[in-house]
Amino acid sequence: KGLGNEEDFIKSISFVNKIKGFPYRLHALLSQPYIQDVMCWTPSGDAFCILNQDLFVEFVLHKYFQNVKFESFARKMRRWGFKKVDGDRRAPKSKGAAVFQCQFFQREKPDLCKFMCDERKLKKKSSGENK
């Protein structure tokens, strides 16, 4: 198992990598049909699931986010307001499956991403205002 058609995969790398902003890029990536074996929206569309962590690292992190380790990606997710939903019934029982949720990250509503920000930037901004 991997990603579908290689030509579609290469085209999507070019498309998704042109998108600026972490949540927007992640949202666009989840809309790509070939990636559904690796990550997908939950049926309700209010969260997404990484189905196989090893495939996610190999086919997604290295090509779209330049992260080497899953732990780095998970930290970035937390900084952007995502919560890992432990014990979620939507996650398959496979090793490495994980569900992530954020109130401003929903299927078919990419415009909500404008309400998201990296908490490090918020802290930097607020400490600059206090001086």
Side-chain angles (χ1 to χ4, degrees):
K1 239 183 189 182
L3 300 178
N5 179 315
E6 186 175 349
E7 187 177 323
D8 290 342
F9 177 60
I10 291 167
K11 286 179 190 174
S12 73
I13 290 174
S14 177
F15 165 73
V16 173
N17 281 340
K18 289 178 184 173
I19 296 171
K20 300 291 184 211
F22 177 74
Y24 293 100
R25 181 178 285 191
L26 185 60
H27 204 284
L29 186 59
L30 280 159
S31 71
Q32 303 298 312
Y34 70 89
I35 205 150
Q36 301 306 303
D37 286 341
V38 177
M39 63 189 294
C40 62
W41 289 104
T42 58
S44 62
D46 68 342
F48 74 94
C49 184
I50 295 172
L51 302 168
N52 181 306
Q53 189 172 312
D54 293 334
L55 288 177
F56 179 77
V57 169
E58 181 180 348
F59 291 108
V60 177
L61 286 186
H62 293 286
K63 294 181 177 57
Y64 295 101
F65 297 104
Q66 291 79 43
N67 285 340
V68 177
K69 297 181 180 178
F70 183 81
E71 293 77 18
S72 299
F73 179 78
R75 269 193 307 276
K76 188 170 193 167
M77 296 279 291
R78 286 191 297 276
R79 287 195 317 263
W80 280 91
F82 286 92
K83 304 278 189 251
K84 186 174 180 188
V85 186
D86 291 322
D88 193 293
R89 68 184 187 293
R90 297 172 287 192
K93 300 283 185 248
S94 64
K95 178 181 176 261
V99 174
F100 291 94
Q101 189 169 29
C102 176
Q103 67 179 358
F104 300 120
F105 196 79
Q106 298 178 19
R107 182 180 52 221
E108 298 176 14
K109 296 181 182 179
D111 53 312
L112 289 177
C113 291
K114 68 185 172 196
F115 298 111
M116 298 174 73
C117 67
D118 185 331
E119 71 178 22
R120 290 183 310 179
K121 290 182 181 177
L122 279 179
K123 286 178 184 176
K124 194 181 250 187
K125 198 179 250 190
S126 67
S127 68
E129 291 171 1
N130 294 333
K131 291 182 180 181

